[in-house]
Amino acid sequence: MTTLDREQPRATDGAPGDGGARPLPLTLAVPAAVLAGVALLLAFPPYGWWPLAPVGVALLAAAVHRRRLRAGAGLGFLTGLALFAPLLEWTNLHTGYLPWALLSLLQAAFLALLGAATAWVSPLADRHRTAWPLLTGVLWVGQEALRDRAPFGGFPWGRLAFSQDTSPLLKLAALGGAPLVTFAVAVAGGLLVTAAWRDWRRTPGQWRPVAGLTAALVALLAAGTAVPTGVRGAGDTVTVAIVQGNVPRLGLDFNAQRQAVLNNHVDATLDLARRVAEGGQARPDMVVWPENSSDIDPLRNPGAGERISQAADAIGAPILVGAVLVGPGQGQVRNAGLLWRPGTGADLDQVYTKRHPVPFAEYVPLRSVARKISSQVDRVRSDFVPGDRPGVLDAGPAVLGDVICFEVAYDGIVRDTVTGGAQLLVVQTNNATFDVAEARQQMAMVRLRAVEHGRAALMASTVGVSGFVSPDGRVDGATGFNTAAVVVRQMELGDGRTPATTAGVWPEVALTALAVAALAGAAVLRRRREVAPG
């Protein structure tokens, strides 16, 4: 154990907040760390108790404050397990327990790093108590910035920002995107722990700082509600239909049902066309089918192409088809959004290939190594290759910003469509291998993206949840899960850029840089204390 890894010298009175250096007793810290994970979990859909996110942040901060690095990491890991194991439970529904366990452990490891980092900056929090909320905020943003990118491109599921889809803090996304929302949630948690970390036996004057911190917390929430959402629009609207065709059976074998899935979406579109012809429904300007609505390559299979053409010609509007396309190389495929126009068929100039295939699900990195861990990796027979262009598709009535499935969780992939000229955001997804909890978590991300970029958005799923989202984050026309549905709505076309769109990645860079500076500052302070006389 190095000198820098030791706890600070202990005071005679070990109560938190007395100016001494005692951490919480482990008998309190361990339950606090576990409760932190549970509170964070309950903040996310399908529970949606968003105020518990700052509570979870505060509990973890209290549990690791003034601890050794290894203890901080261990407590952070407990929080991560309590959060991610149940949050990601949908990953084991059809693939077994091993992928779920490995993914949960990997994500928990990032919270272990956060726990160690939070313990490391304890001297700064003790020396500058008012800085504790800011330290908490920047460390959470730094942890998420790392987790969103590593390994294999990262896995941003479970970001604090994605728990705030019904919170006043959601509107902060218009100023600084998901990183700013995460920062605000973590600062709120930091305010809570700063208010609570004191010796409550010393009653005189205790309530003055608590009142000040409470006022700061209220001001933070009020600031969120005051942020305007949306951007300057052209005043134009389009009528869009989402077709949720459903699948015969949930599970990984939806691929074996691919003809039935395609038929479901064709038949639902033909039924919509009949209602339009009968005058019971306005004709949509465009139709959106979900990811995997045609796992038969319609560019190579004439029968699949004819069926899609039948639907497009009947409805008299372009269809954005979620298709699996063969190639470009041997044993390779592409997950694509393909525009299919009435009368002319596939528009090969308007194709988006998914830029971020999911590792170990759509492609297998280090396949020979992964096979030694589980032979299940060989169920991924063909590797999906990534696209190299943002999903900006000119459908005619509107320019679409298309992202596919988990891509909605990645800031840059969505932002690139807006800076490329998208007027509407479209998320094509297939939730047939997951459950309703995963679908609702994904819809929460769509809500944040709509606010972040001031664009109306929609999510089209094979089995649900599908729906429309306004630029202020409200959901309309949400469908049920594991059911067929067709929903038609008017959507306003967006123009211009929000401050978040303009700022791009820089808010996250700035906050992460502050996190690094805090870690360096804590190192300097610890070194000074080490060499101080006595």
Side-chain angles (χ1 to χ4, degrees):
M1 182 69 63
T2 65
T3 304
L4 293 181
D5 198 35
R6 294 176 188 151
E7 295 175 5
Q8 302 172 50
R10 297 181 185 274
T12 56
D13 185 353
D18 64 353
R22 286 180 181 264
L24 285 179
L26 277 177
T27 53
L28 294 178
V30 170
V34 174
L35 286 174
V38 173
L40 291 169
L41 169 69
L42 294 177
F44 287 91
Y47 313 103
W49 298 350
W50 63 264
L52 289 180
V55 174
V57 170
L59 286 170
L60 176 59
V64 303
H65 188 54
R66 299 173 176 168
R67 305 215 85 87
R68 295 185 175 97
L69 295 186
R70 287 184 296 180
L75 291 168
F77 190 73
L78 287 178
T79 298
L81 282 181
L83 166 62
F84 286 111
L87 183 72
L88 303 177
E89 185 182 14
W90 41 265
T91 60
N92 75 24
L93 293 178
H94 305 288
T95 60
Y97 289 103
L98 184 60
W100 165 62
L102 292 176
L103 183 59
S104 299
L105 290 170
L106 175 62
Q107 300 309 300
F110 286 96
L111 285 197
L113 289 175
L114 175 65
T118 305
W120 179 256
V121 301
S122 295
L124 283 178
D126 283 330
R127 185 167 182 173
H128 306 286
R129 186 56 60 93
T130 56
W132 200 353
L134 298 179
L135 290 170
T136 306
V138 297
L139 289 178
W140 269 92
V141 173
Q143 173 266 141
E144 289 188 356
L146 179 61
R147 188 165 66 85
D148 297 352
R149 293 167 173 82
F152 308 117
F155 187 69
W157 220 269
R159 296 167 76 178
L160 289 182
F162 297 151
S163 70
Q164 302 296 297
D165 58 319
T166 58
S167 161
L169 298 178
L170 179 69
K171 291 186 176 182
L172 293 175
L175 300 179
L180 183 60
V181 179
T182 285
F183 176 72
V185 175
V187 165
L191 290 169
L192 290 176
V193 72
T194 306
W197 190 276
R198 60 190 65 253
D199 186 355
W200 291 97
R201 295 170 297 181
R202 300 177 181 178
T203 54
Q206 284 286 0
W207 294 106
R208 285 194 295 271
V210 173
L213 291 165
T214 302
L217 181 60
V218 172
L220 179 63
L221 294 173
T225 62
V227 175
T229 55
V231 293
R232 176 177 56 86
D236 296 331
T237 61
V238 293
T239 302
V240 183
I242 295 174
V243 174
Q244 178 179 302
N246 208 9
V247 300
R249 295 177 307 280
L250 296 176
L252 287 177
D253 66 341
F254 76 89
N255 237 351
Q257 314 164 52
R258 53 187 184 172
Q259 184 64 60
V261 174
L262 173 58
N263 288 338
N264 284 354
H265 288 85
V266 170
D267 293 342
T269 307
L270 293 176
D271 182 67
L272 174 63
R274 283 192 291 271
R275 287 188 281 126
V276 169
E278 294 168 358
Q281 173 66 62
R283 185 179 303 277
D285 298 305
M286 66 183 72
V287 178
V288 178
W289 288 3
E291 177 190 25
N292 296 122
S293 49
S294 180
D295 275 356
I296 305 171
D297 186 346
L299 302 181
R300 293 174 179 258
N301 187 299
E306 289 172 5
R307 290 241 65 194
I308 299 173
S309 290
Q310 180 186 7
D313 294 345
I315 197 63
I319 300 175
L320 181 61
V321 179
V324 173
L325 305 180
V326 176
Q330 184 70 25
Q332 294 179 329
V333 289
R334 290 167 288 158
N335 192 348
L338 170 63
L339 203 67
W340 207 278
R341 299 188 186 276
T344 57
D347 186 343
L348 298 182
D349 292 327
Q350 304 299 324
V351 181
Y352 168 61
T353 299
K354 187 176 183 180
R355 296 167 65 189
H356 198 303
V358 180
F360 303 104
E362 292 179 311
Y363 78 101
V364 180
L366 308 174
R367 186 181 286 266
S368 60
V369 177
R371 188 181 291 116
K372 295 178 181 178
I373 300 174
S374 173
S375 61
Q376 294 292 318
V377 298
D378 289 328
R379 299 183 70 168
V380 183
R381 296 184 179 88
S382 299
D383 285 336
F384 282 78
V385 295
D388 57 3
R389 294 185 303 168
V392 182
L393 304 177
D394 188 352
V399 179
L400 307 180
D402 187 28
V403 297
I404 297 176
C405 198
F406 286 9
E407 288 186 322
V408 69
Y410 295 87
D411 298 345
I413 291 179
V414 181
R415 185 190 308 118
D416 287 348
T417 70
V418 179
T419 57
Q423 298 169 301
L424 296 175
L425 297 179
V426 174
V427 179
Q428 296 177 286
T429 187
N430 174 25
N431 307 114
T433 57
F434 305 124
D435 63 12
V436 66
E438 184 271 346
R440 290 180 179 173
Q441 290 162 18
Q442 207 168 19
M443 180 60 81
M445 300 177 196
V446 179
R447 298 178 73 172
L448 184 140
R449 298 307 180 194
V451 173
E452 179 181 10
H453 298 294
R455 294 291 190 275
L458 65 88
M459 185 165 86
S461 170
T462 47
V463 299
V465 175
S466 303
F468 297 87
V469 181
S470 61
D472 61 1
R474 290 176 298 169
V475 179
D476 183 32
T479 64
F481 189 76
N482 195 19
T483 184
V486 175
V487 191
V488 183
R489 292 290 188 275
Q490 268 198 341
M491 303 184 73
E492 183 179 358
L493 300 181
D495 193 9
R497 299 184 181 184
T498 63
T501 310
T502 301
V505 74
W506 289 109
E508 184 179 45
V509 170
L511 292 170
T512 302
L514 288 175
V516 174
L519 294 171
V524 172
L525 186 57
R526 283 171 175 266
R527 176 61 64 182
R528 286 177 179 175
R529 290 187 176 186
E530 179 187 2
V531 300

